[in-house]
Amino acid sequence: MNFDKELDVRGLVCPLPILRTKKSLADMTTGQVLKIAATDPGATIDFQVFAEQTGNELLSLSETTGEFIFYMKKK
């Protein structure tokens, strides 16, 4: 998937991945896509809730060997 910006929050636990994502999205324009790499198992639910609460669109999430990749589109 194409993305405009990448954020590495591997090794960080809640709430830091969400806080860093919020900051990164603030610097982006509407329609741009942010790729996020995380290792916190709780991130899957955290990012789904974050997307619902903020109106940003969670385009995709996947897991491979303990690493979670999210693609989020800025509202």
Side-chain angles (χ1 to χ4, degrees):
M1 181 177 294
N2 292 331
F3 57 92
D4 300 289
K5 187 175 182 180
E6 188 168 9
L7 177 65
D8 183 355
V9 292
R10 291 177 289 194
L12 301 178
V13 293
C14 186
L16 291 175
I18 293 295
L19 294 174
R20 300 246 172 114
T21 297
K22 185 176 179 181
K23 184 177 181 194
S24 289
L25 286 169
D27 295 334
M28 298 172 70
T29 59
T30 299
Q32 286 189 312
V33 175
L34 176 64
K35 176 184 178 183
I36 306 137
T39 51
D40 180 5
T44 301
I45 291 175
D46 293 342
F47 278 100
Q48 290 171 343
V49 170
F50 177 74
E52 289 172 10
Q53 291 179 344
T54 62
N56 295 300
E57 185 180 354
L58 185 58
L59 300 173
S60 157
L61 65 99
S62 62
E63 178 189 2
T64 53
T65 26
E67 184 170 294
F68 304 91
I69 303 295
F70 305 91
Y71 288 91
M72 188 165 285
K73 185 176 183 180
K74 180 171 171 124
K75 68 173 182 174

